Amino acid sequence: MKDKKNDFSIEKPKLPIDLEGIESIGQLEDESYISSGVIGGYIIENQVADAVTFNEVIFKNSTFIGSSLNYAELTDVRFEHCDLSNVDFRNSIIHRVEFINCKVMGINLSESTLRNVRFNQCSGDYGFFSFADCKAVKFQDCELCYSDFQDCNFNKVGFYNTDLTQCQMSGTKLKDIDFTSCNVDGIGARIDNLRGAIFSPVQAVSLSKLMGIIIR
């Protein structure tokens, strides 16, 4: 059960109800600007571009393959049933964005700024979030095994019914985060990072290994 005291709301993407379909976005170039449309069944393959902007866009059943989009800016964007595995979004700004039923395995959001971002029912093992600045970010019913959240700045970040097996969170303050609905087996964090985090009694026994405590 979620701790209502530590729950919070996030803003949804502000998307016009009359968005029209975009048939093609072509070859992305540095500082490309894609705005106001629905992109369905599109494949973005091996594209490399910096500072691309997506604004008021819905991606449906689209695939990003081998693409590197560093310094991107995504505002009011929704991804539905998309495959963004191994996409490189380093140093990007992600604001009012939803990832719904997406594959985000190995996605790289390190050193990015995330504001009002929701991951819902996503497969995201081996994701990279290190050094990200996250405020109002929720992971609901996700798989994030072996993901890297080291040295992040967390402010109103929630994990709900999410698999965090072997995740690395060293250097990230986890105060007030409720992990009781999650699998935290093998989670990596320093003792001072865990101060104020919320765990179940069973989880606490598992985490005792981090503190060198022997329970008999």
Short mmCIF file of all heavy atoms in Angstrom, two decimals, residues 120-182:
data_model
loop_
_atom_site.label_atom_id
_atom_site.label_comp_id
_atom_site.label_asym_id
_atom_site.label_seq_id
_atom_site.Cartn_x
_atom_site.Cartn_y
_atom_site.Cartn_z
N ASN A 120 4.91 4.20 -16.74
CA ASN A 120 3.84 3.31 -16.32
C ASN A 120 3.89 2.00 -17.11
O ASN A 120 3.81 2.01 -18.34
CB ASN A 120 2.48 4.00 -16.54
CG ASN A 120 1.34 3.25 -15.88
OD1 ASN A 120 1.55 2.22 -15.25
ND2 ASN A 120 0.13 3.75 -16.02
N GLN A 121 4.08 0.88 -16.39
CA GLN A 121 4.14 -0.45 -16.99
C GLN A 121 5.21 -0.50 -18.09
O GLN A 121 4.95 -0.95 -19.21
CB GLN A 121 2.77 -0.85 -17.56
CG GLN A 121 1.72 -1.02 -16.46
CD GLN A 121 0.38 -1.49 -17.00
OE1 GLN A 121 -0.12 -0.94 -17.98
NE2 GLN A 121 -0.20 -2.51 -16.38
N CYS A 122 6.39 -0.06 -17.72
CA CYS A 122 7.51 -0.05 -18.67
C CYS A 122 8.54 -1.10 -18.32
O CYS A 122 8.78 -1.38 -17.14
CB CYS A 122 8.18 1.34 -18.68
SG CYS A 122 7.16 2.64 -19.41
N SER A 123 9.16 -1.66 -19.34
CA SER A 123 10.26 -2.59 -19.18
C SER A 123 11.56 -1.81 -19.37
O SER A 123 11.90 -1.44 -20.48
CB SER A 123 10.16 -3.72 -20.22
OG SER A 123 11.26 -4.57 -20.14
N GLY A 124 12.26 -1.56 -18.25
CA GLY A 124 13.40 -0.66 -18.32
C GLY A 124 14.65 -1.15 -17.62
O GLY A 124 15.39 -0.35 -17.03
N ASP A 125 14.89 -2.46 -17.68
CA ASP A 125 16.12 -2.98 -17.08
C ASP A 125 17.35 -2.30 -17.70
O ASP A 125 17.33 -1.92 -18.87
CB ASP A 125 16.22 -4.48 -17.29
CG ASP A 125 15.13 -5.25 -16.56
OD1 ASP A 125 14.46 -4.65 -15.69
OD2 ASP A 125 14.93 -6.44 -16.86
N TYR A 126 18.39 -2.17 -16.91
CA TYR A 126 19.68 -1.61 -17.35
C TYR A 126 19.58 -0.15 -17.80
O TYR A 126 20.38 0.32 -18.60
CB TYR A 126 20.28 -2.45 -18.48
CG TYR A 126 20.55 -3.88 -18.10
CD1 TYR A 126 19.65 -4.89 -18.43
CD2 TYR A 126 21.70 -4.24 -17.39
CE1 TYR A 126 19.88 -6.21 -18.07
CE2 TYR A 126 21.94 -5.54 -17.03
CZ TYR A 126 21.04 -6.53 -17.36
OH TYR A 126 21.26 -7.83 -17.00
N GLY A 127 18.59 0.57 -17.29
CA GLY A 127 18.49 2.00 -17.62
C GLY A 127 19.56 2.82 -16.92
O GLY A 127 20.03 2.46 -15.83
N PHE A 128 19.93 3.93 -17.52
CA PHE A 128 20.94 4.83 -16.95
C PHE A 128 20.28 6.16 -16.59
O PHE A 128 19.80 6.89 -17.46
CB PHE A 128 22.08 5.07 -17.95
CG PHE A 128 22.91 3.86 -18.24
CD1 PHE A 128 22.61 3.04 -19.32
CD2 PHE A 128 23.99 3.53 -17.44
CE1 PHE A 128 23.37 1.92 -19.59
CE2 PHE A 128 24.76 2.41 -17.70
CZ PHE A 128 24.44 1.60 -18.78
N PHE A 129 20.27 6.46 -15.29
CA PHE A 129 19.72 7.71 -14.80
C PHE A 129 20.75 8.48 -13.96
O PHE A 129 20.41 9.47 -13.33
CB PHE A 129 18.49 7.45 -13.93
CG PHE A 129 17.34 6.80 -14.66
CD1 PHE A 129 17.30 5.42 -14.85
CD2 PHE A 129 16.29 7.56 -15.16
CE1 PHE A 129 16.24 4.83 -15.53
CE2 PHE A 129 15.23 6.98 -15.83
CZ PHE A 129 15.20 5.60 -16.01
N SER A 130 21.97 8.04 -13.95
CA SER A 130 22.96 8.62 -13.05
C SER A 130 23.12 10.12 -13.28
O SER A 130 23.07 10.61 -14.41
CB SER A 130 24.32 7.93 -13.23
OG SER A 130 24.72 7.94 -14.59
N PHE A 131 23.27 10.84 -12.18
CA PHE A 131 23.47 12.29 -12.17
C PHE A 131 22.25 13.05 -12.73
O PHE A 131 22.35 14.24 -13.05
CB PHE A 131 24.72 12.70 -12.94
CG PHE A 131 26.00 12.19 -12.33
CD1 PHE A 131 26.59 11.03 -12.78
CD2 PHE A 131 26.59 12.87 -11.26
CE1 PHE A 131 27.76 10.55 -12.19
CE2 PHE A 131 27.75 12.41 -10.67
CZ PHE A 131 28.35 11.24 -11.15
N ALA A 132 21.10 12.38 -12.83
CA ALA A 132 19.90 13.07 -13.29
C ALA A 132 19.29 13.89 -12.15
O ALA A 132 19.41 13.54 -10.97
CB ALA A 132 18.88 12.07 -13.81
N ASP A 133 18.64 14.98 -12.52
CA ASP A 133 17.94 15.84 -11.58
C ASP A 133 16.45 15.56 -11.74
O ASP A 133 15.84 15.95 -12.74
CB ASP A 133 18.25 17.30 -11.88
CG ASP A 133 17.68 18.26 -10.85
OD1 ASP A 133 16.93 17.81 -9.97
OD2 ASP A 133 17.97 19.47 -10.93
N CYS A 134 15.87 14.84 -10.78
CA CYS A 134 14.50 14.33 -10.92
C CYS A 134 13.57 14.98 -9.89
O CYS A 134 13.81 14.89 -8.68
CB CYS A 134 14.47 12.82 -10.72
SG CYS A 134 15.54 11.90 -11.85
N LYS A 135 12.52 15.61 -10.36
CA LYS A 135 11.51 16.19 -9.48
C LYS A 135 10.13 15.84 -10.03
O LYS A 135 9.83 16.10 -11.19
CB LYS A 135 11.67 17.71 -9.39
CG LYS A 135 10.68 18.36 -8.43
CD LYS A 135 10.94 19.84 -8.29
CE LYS A 135 9.97 20.47 -7.29
NZ LYS A 135 10.22 21.94 -7.13
N ALA A 136 9.29 15.27 -9.17
CA ALA A 136 7.96 14.82 -9.56
C ALA A 136 8.07 13.77 -10.67
O ALA A 136 7.64 13.98 -11.80
CB ALA A 136 7.08 15.99 -9.99
N VAL A 137 8.65 12.62 -10.31
CA VAL A 137 8.85 11.50 -11.24
C VAL A 137 8.29 10.23 -10.59
O VAL A 137 8.60 9.94 -9.44
CB VAL A 137 10.33 11.31 -11.59
CG1 VAL A 137 10.52 10.12 -12.53
CG2 VAL A 137 10.90 12.58 -12.23
N LYS A 138 7.47 9.49 -11.34
CA LYS A 138 6.87 8.27 -10.81
C LYS A 138 7.17 7.08 -11.72
O LYS A 138 7.07 7.19 -12.94
CB LYS A 138 5.35 8.42 -10.68
CG LYS A 138 4.92 9.31 -9.52
CD LYS A 138 3.40 9.24 -9.32
CE LYS A 138 2.99 10.03 -8.09
NZ LYS A 138 1.53 9.92 -7.82
N PHE A 139 7.50 5.95 -11.08
CA PHE A 139 7.67 4.68 -11.76
C PHE A 139 6.59 3.74 -11.21
O PHE A 139 6.63 3.39 -10.03
CB PHE A 139 9.05 4.09 -11.50
CG PHE A 139 10.20 4.93 -12.02
CD1 PHE A 139 10.75 5.93 -11.24
CD2 PHE A 139 10.72 4.72 -13.29
CE1 PHE A 139 11.81 6.70 -11.70
CE2 PHE A 139 11.78 5.48 -13.77
CZ PHE A 139 12.32 6.48 -12.98
N GLN A 140 5.62 3.36 -12.04
CA GLN A 140 4.51 2.52 -11.61
C GLN A 140 4.51 1.21 -12.39
O GLN A 140 4.48 1.21 -13.63
CB GLN A 140 3.19 3.26 -11.86
CG GLN A 140 1.94 2.45 -11.55
CD GLN A 140 1.67 2.34 -10.05
OE1 GLN A 140 1.64 3.36 -9.36
NE2 GLN A 140 1.48 1.12 -9.56
N ASP A 141 4.57 0.09 -11.66
CA ASP A 141 4.52 -1.24 -12.30
C ASP A 141 5.59 -1.40 -13.37
O ASP A 141 5.30 -1.83 -14.50
CB ASP A 141 3.13 -1.49 -12.90
CG ASP A 141 2.02 -1.43 -11.86
OD1 ASP A 141 2.16 -2.08 -10.81
OD2 ASP A 141 1.02 -0.73 -12.11
N CYS A 142 6.81 -1.05 -13.03
CA CYS A 142 7.92 -1.11 -14.00
C CYS A 142 8.95 -2.16 -13.60
O CYS A 142 9.01 -2.60 -12.44
CB CYS A 142 8.62 0.25 -14.09
SG CYS A 142 7.61 1.56 -14.81
N GLU A 143 9.75 -2.55 -14.57
CA GLU A 143 10.91 -3.41 -14.33
C GLU A 143 12.16 -2.58 -14.57
O GLU A 143 12.41 -2.12 -15.68
CB GLU A 143 10.87 -4.61 -15.28
CG GLU A 143 9.67 -5.52 -15.08
CD GLU A 143 9.60 -6.60 -16.12
OE1 GLU A 143 10.52 -6.69 -16.96
OE2 GLU A 143 8.62 -7.37 -16.10
N LEU A 144 12.94 -2.39 -13.51
CA LEU A 144 14.13 -1.55 -13.59
C LEU A 144 15.36 -2.27 -13.05
O LEU A 144 16.29 -1.63 -12.55
CB LEU A 144 13.91 -0.25 -12.81
CG LEU A 144 12.79 0.68 -13.30
CD1 LEU A 144 12.59 1.82 -12.31
CD2 LEU A 144 13.12 1.23 -14.67
N CYS A 145 15.40 -3.58 -13.21
CA CYS A 145 16.53 -4.36 -12.68
C CYS A 145 17.86 -3.86 -13.26
O CYS A 145 17.94 -3.53 -14.44
CB CYS A 145 16.36 -5.83 -13.01
SG CYS A 145 14.86 -6.58 -12.36
N TYR A 146 18.86 -3.82 -12.41
CA TYR A 146 20.23 -3.46 -12.79
C TYR A 146 20.33 -2.02 -13.34
O TYR A 146 21.31 -1.69 -14.01
CB TYR A 146 20.79 -4.44 -13.84
CG TYR A 146 20.77 -5.87 -13.37
CD1 TYR A 146 19.74 -6.72 -13.76
CD2 TYR A 146 21.76 -6.37 -12.54
CE1 TYR A 146 19.70 -8.04 -13.32
CE2 TYR A 146 21.74 -7.68 -12.10
CZ TYR A 146 20.71 -8.51 -12.49
OH TYR A 146 20.68 -9.81 -12.04
N SER A 147 19.36 -1.19 -13.06
CA SER A 147 19.44 0.20 -13.52
C SER A 147 20.33 1.03 -12.61
O SER A 147 20.58 0.68 -11.45
CB SER A 147 18.04 0.82 -13.59
OG SER A 147 17.29 0.23 -14.63
N ASP A 148 20.81 2.14 -13.13
CA ASP A 148 21.79 2.98 -12.44
C ASP A 148 21.16 4.32 -12.09
O ASP A 148 20.86 5.13 -12.96
CB ASP A 148 23.01 3.18 -13.35
CG ASP A 148 24.15 3.92 -12.66
OD1 ASP A 148 23.92 4.48 -11.56
OD2 ASP A 148 25.26 3.95 -13.21
N PHE A 149 20.94 4.53 -10.78
CA PHE A 149 20.42 5.79 -10.27
C PHE A 149 21.46 6.46 -9.37
O PHE A 149 21.12 7.15 -8.43
CB PHE A 149 19.14 5.57 -9.47
CG PHE A 149 17.94 5.18 -10.30
CD1 PHE A 149 17.63 3.85 -10.53
CD2 PHE A 149 17.11 6.16 -10.84
CE1 PHE A 149 16.52 3.48 -11.29
CE2 PHE A 149 15.99 5.80 -11.59
CZ PHE A 149 15.70 4.47 -11.82
N GLN A 150 22.72 6.26 -9.63
CA GLN A 150 23.76 6.79 -8.76
C GLN A 150 23.89 8.31 -8.91
O GLN A 150 23.78 8.86 -10.00
CB GLN A 150 25.10 6.13 -9.08
CG GLN A 150 25.11 4.64 -8.78
CD GLN A 150 26.48 4.03 -8.96
OE1 GLN A 150 27.31 4.07 -8.04
NE2 GLN A 150 26.73 3.46 -10.12
N ASP A 151 24.11 8.95 -7.76
CA ASP A 151 24.39 10.39 -7.70
C ASP A 151 23.29 11.23 -8.35
O ASP A 151 23.55 12.26 -8.99
CB ASP A 151 25.74 10.70 -8.36
CG ASP A 151 26.89 10.06 -7.61
OD1 ASP A 151 27.12 10.45 -6.45
OD2 ASP A 151 27.54 9.16 -8.17
N CYS A 152 22.04 10.79 -8.18
CA CYS A 152 20.90 11.57 -8.66
C CYS A 152 20.44 12.57 -7.59
O CYS A 152 20.72 12.40 -6.41
CB CYS A 152 19.72 10.65 -9.00
SG CYS A 152 19.96 9.63 -10.47
N ASN A 153 19.72 13.57 -8.04
CA ASN A 153 19.04 14.48 -7.13
C ASN A 153 17.56 14.15 -7.18
O ASN A 153 16.91 14.38 -8.20
CB ASN A 153 19.29 15.93 -7.55
CG ASN A 153 18.60 16.92 -6.62
OD1 ASN A 153 18.37 16.63 -5.45
ND2 ASN A 153 18.24 18.09 -7.14
N PHE A 154 17.02 13.56 -6.10
CA PHE A 154 15.62 13.15 -6.05
C PHE A 154 14.82 14.15 -5.22
O PHE A 154 15.16 14.46 -4.09
CB PHE A 154 15.49 11.77 -5.39
CG PHE A 154 15.76 10.61 -6.32
CD1 PHE A 154 16.09 10.79 -7.64
CD2 PHE A 154 15.66 9.31 -5.83
CE1 PHE A 154 16.34 9.72 -8.48
CE2 PHE A 154 15.89 8.22 -6.67
CZ PHE A 154 16.23 8.42 -7.99
N ASN A 155 13.73 14.62 -5.79
CA ASN A 155 12.77 15.46 -5.08
C ASN A 155 11.38 15.04 -5.55
O ASN A 155 11.02 15.27 -6.69
CB ASN A 155 13.02 16.94 -5.38
CG ASN A 155 12.11 17.87 -4.59
OD1 ASN A 155 11.22 17.42 -3.88
ND2 ASN A 155 12.34 19.17 -4.72
N LYS A 156 10.63 14.37 -4.69
CA LYS A 156 9.34 13.81 -5.05
C LYS A 156 9.49 12.78 -6.17
O LYS A 156 9.02 12.97 -7.29
CB LYS A 156 8.35 14.91 -5.45
CG LYS A 156 7.97 15.84 -4.32
CD LYS A 156 6.91 16.85 -4.75
CE LYS A 156 6.51 17.75 -3.59
NZ LYS A 156 5.51 18.77 -4.02
N VAL A 157 10.17 11.70 -5.84
CA VAL A 157 10.33 10.57 -6.75
C VAL A 157 9.67 9.36 -6.10
O VAL A 157 9.89 9.10 -4.90
CB VAL A 157 11.81 10.30 -7.05
CG1 VAL A 157 11.98 9.02 -7.87
CG2 VAL A 157 12.43 11.48 -7.80
N GLY A 158 8.85 8.65 -6.86
CA GLY A 158 8.13 7.51 -6.29
C GLY A 158 8.31 6.25 -7.11
O GLY A 158 8.31 6.29 -8.34
N PHE A 159 8.48 5.12 -6.40
CA PHE A 159 8.56 3.80 -7.02
C PHE A 159 7.40 2.97 -6.47
O PHE A 159 7.31 2.78 -5.26
CB PHE A 159 9.89 3.12 -6.70
CG PHE A 159 11.10 3.84 -7.22
CD1 PHE A 159 11.78 4.75 -6.43
CD2 PHE A 159 11.57 3.61 -8.51
CE1 PHE A 159 12.90 5.43 -6.90
CE2 PHE A 159 12.69 4.27 -8.99
CZ PHE A 159 13.36 5.18 -8.19
N TYR A 160 6.52 2.48 -7.34
CA TYR A 160 5.33 1.75 -6.92
C TYR A 160 5.26 0.41 -7.66
O TYR A 160 5.21 0.37 -8.89
CB TYR A 160 4.07 2.57 -7.23
CG TYR A 160 4.12 3.99 -6.69
CD1 TYR A 160 4.49 5.04 -7.52
CD2 TYR A 160 3.83 4.26 -5.36
CE1 TYR A 160 4.56 6.33 -7.03
CE2 TYR A 160 3.89 5.56 -4.86
CZ TYR A 160 4.26 6.59 -5.71
OH TYR A 160 4.34 7.88 -5.23
N ASN A 161 5.27 -0.67 -6.88
CA ASN A 161 5.19 -2.02 -7.45
C ASN A 161 6.20 -2.19 -8.59
O ASN A 161 5.87 -2.66 -9.69
CB ASN A 161 3.77 -2.30 -7.96
CG ASN A 161 3.55 -3.77 -8.25
OD1 ASN A 161 4.10 -4.65 -7.59
ND2 ASN A 161 2.75 -4.05 -9.29
N THR A 162 7.41 -1.80 -8.31
CA THR A 162 8.46 -1.79 -9.33
C THR A 162 9.63 -2.67 -8.90
O THR A 162 9.99 -2.70 -7.73
CB THR A 162 8.93 -0.34 -9.58
OG1 THR A 162 7.89 0.37 -10.26
CG2 THR A 162 10.19 -0.28 -10.39
N ASP A 163 10.20 -3.39 -9.86
CA ASP A 163 11.31 -4.29 -9.58
C ASP A 163 12.63 -3.53 -9.68
O ASP A 163 13.04 -3.11 -10.76
CB ASP A 163 11.29 -5.46 -10.57
CG ASP A 163 12.23 -6.59 -10.15
OD1 ASP A 163 13.10 -6.36 -9.28
OD2 ASP A 163 12.09 -7.70 -10.69
N LEU A 164 13.27 -3.34 -8.53
CA LEU A 164 14.52 -2.60 -8.45
C LEU A 164 15.70 -3.52 -8.11
O LEU A 164 16.70 -3.07 -7.55
CB LEU A 164 14.41 -1.48 -7.40
CG LEU A 164 13.35 -0.41 -7.69
CD1 LEU A 164 13.12 0.45 -6.45
CD2 LEU A 164 13.79 0.46 -8.86
N THR A 165 15.58 -4.78 -8.47
CA THR A 165 16.63 -5.75 -8.17
C THR A 165 17.98 -5.29 -8.70
O THR A 165 18.10 -4.92 -9.87
CB THR A 165 16.28 -7.13 -8.78
OG1 THR A 165 15.04 -7.58 -8.25
CG2 THR A 165 17.37 -8.14 -8.49
N GLN A 166 18.96 -5.28 -7.83
CA GLN A 166 20.35 -4.94 -8.19
C GLN A 166 20.52 -3.52 -8.73
O GLN A 166 21.51 -3.22 -9.40
CB GLN A 166 20.90 -5.95 -9.21
CG GLN A 166 21.00 -7.38 -8.71
CD GLN A 166 22.09 -7.58 -7.66
OE1 GLN A 166 23.06 -6.82 -7.62
NE2 GLN A 166 21.93 -8.57 -6.82
N CYS A 167 19.56 -2.65 -8.45
CA CYS A 167 19.73 -1.24 -8.85
C CYS A 167 20.83 -0.59 -8.01
O CYS A 167 21.00 -0.89 -6.83
CB CYS A 167 18.43 -0.46 -8.66
SG CYS A 167 17.30 -0.60 -10.04
N GLN A 168 21.54 0.33 -8.62
CA GLN A 168 22.59 1.07 -7.93
C GLN A 168 22.11 2.49 -7.63
O GLN A 168 21.73 3.22 -8.55
CB GLN A 168 23.86 1.09 -8.78
CG GLN A 168 24.46 -0.27 -9.03
CD GLN A 168 24.84 -0.98 -7.73
OE1 GLN A 168 25.45 -0.39 -6.83
NE2 GLN A 168 24.46 -2.24 -7.61
N MET A 169 22.10 2.86 -6.34
CA MET A 169 21.62 4.17 -5.93
C MET A 169 22.61 4.89 -5.02
O MET A 169 22.23 5.81 -4.29
CB MET A 169 20.25 4.04 -5.24
CG MET A 169 19.15 3.53 -6.16
SD MET A 169 17.51 3.67 -5.42
CE MET A 169 16.47 3.16 -6.80
N SER A 170 23.84 4.48 -5.06
CA SER A 170 24.85 5.12 -4.22
C SER A 170 24.95 6.61 -4.57
O SER A 170 24.95 6.99 -5.75
CB SER A 170 26.21 4.46 -4.41
OG SER A 170 26.18 3.12 -3.96
N GLY A 171 25.03 7.42 -3.54
CA GLY A 171 25.18 8.85 -3.75
C GLY A 171 23.87 9.59 -3.93
O GLY A 171 23.85 10.80 -4.13
N THR A 172 22.75 8.87 -3.87
CA THR A 172 21.43 9.48 -4.04
C THR A 172 20.67 9.42 -2.72
O THR A 172 20.50 8.33 -2.14
CB THR A 172 20.62 8.73 -5.13
OG1 THR A 172 21.33 8.82 -6.37
CG2 THR A 172 19.25 9.34 -5.29
N LYS A 173 20.21 10.54 -2.23
CA LYS A 173 19.45 10.58 -0.98
C LYS A 173 18.05 10.03 -1.22
O LYS A 173 17.33 10.50 -2.08
CB LYS A 173 19.39 12.01 -0.44
CG LYS A 173 20.74 12.55 0.00
CD LYS A 173 20.62 13.96 0.56
CE LYS A 173 21.98 14.49 1.01
NZ LYS A 173 21.89 15.87 1.55
N LEU A 174 17.66 9.04 -0.42
CA LEU A 174 16.40 8.33 -0.61
C LEU A 174 15.38 8.65 0.47
O LEU A 174 14.37 7.95 0.60
CB LEU A 174 16.67 6.82 -0.66
CG LEU A 174 17.71 6.38 -1.70
CD1 LEU A 174 17.98 4.89 -1.59
CD2 LEU A 174 17.23 6.72 -3.12
N LYS A 175 15.59 9.70 1.20
CA LYS A 175 14.70 10.08 2.30
C LYS A 175 13.26 10.24 1.80
O LYS A 175 13.01 10.84 0.76
CB LYS A 175 15.17 11.38 2.93
CG LYS A 175 14.39 11.81 4.16
CD LYS A 175 14.98 13.08 4.76
CE LYS A 175 14.28 13.47 6.06
NZ LYS A 175 12.86 13.85 5.83
N ASP A 176 12.32 9.67 2.56
CA ASP A 176 10.87 9.75 2.33
C ASP A 176 10.37 8.92 1.15
O ASP A 176 9.18 8.93 0.85
CB ASP A 176 10.42 11.21 2.12
CG ASP A 176 10.60 12.06 3.36
OD1 ASP A 176 10.49 11.51 4.46
OD2 ASP A 176 10.86 13.27 3.21
N ILE A 177 11.25 8.17 0.47
CA ILE A 177 10.78 7.32 -0.63
C ILE A 177 10.29 5.99 -0.04
O ILE A 177 10.99 5.34 0.72
CB ILE A 177 11.89 7.08 -1.66
CG1 ILE A 177 12.28 8.41 -2.32
CG2 ILE A 177 11.42 6.10 -2.73
CD1 ILE A 177 13.36 8.29 -3.37
N ASP A 178 9.08 5.60 -0.42
CA ASP A 178 8.46 4.38 0.08
C ASP A 178 8.73 3.23 -0.89
O ASP A 178 8.21 3.21 -2.01
CB ASP A 178 6.95 4.61 0.22
CG ASP A 178 6.24 3.44 0.92
OD1 ASP A 178 6.82 2.34 0.97
OD2 ASP A 178 5.11 3.64 1.39
N PHE A 179 9.55 2.29 -0.46
CA PHE A 179 9.92 1.15 -1.29
C PHE A 179 9.14 -0.12 -0.93
O PHE A 179 9.45 -1.19 -1.45
CB PHE A 179 11.42 0.85 -1.13
CG PHE A 179 12.34 1.89 -1.71
CD1 PHE A 179 12.91 2.86 -0.89
CD2 PHE A 179 12.65 1.90 -3.06
CE1 PHE A 179 13.77 3.82 -1.41
CE2 PHE A 179 13.51 2.85 -3.59
CZ PHE A 179 14.07 3.82 -2.76
N THR A 180 8.14 -0.02 -0.08
CA THR A 180 7.53 -1.23 0.48
C THR A 180 6.80 -2.08 -0.55
O THR A 180 6.60 -3.28 -0.34
CB THR A 180 6.54 -0.87 1.61
OG1 THR A 180 5.58 0.09 1.13
CG2 THR A 180 7.29 -0.26 2.80
N SER A 181 6.40 -1.51 -1.68
CA SER A 181 5.70 -2.30 -2.71
C SER A 181 6.67 -2.81 -3.78
O SER A 181 6.24 -3.44 -4.75
CB SER A 181 4.62 -1.45 -3.38
OG SER A 181 5.18 -0.36 -4.09
N CYS A 182 7.95 -2.58 -3.59
CA CYS A 182 8.95 -2.88 -4.62
C CYS A 182 9.86 -4.04 -4.22
O CYS A 182 9.98 -4.38 -3.05
CB CYS A 182 9.83 -1.64 -4.88
SG CYS A 182 8.90 -0.20 -5.45
#
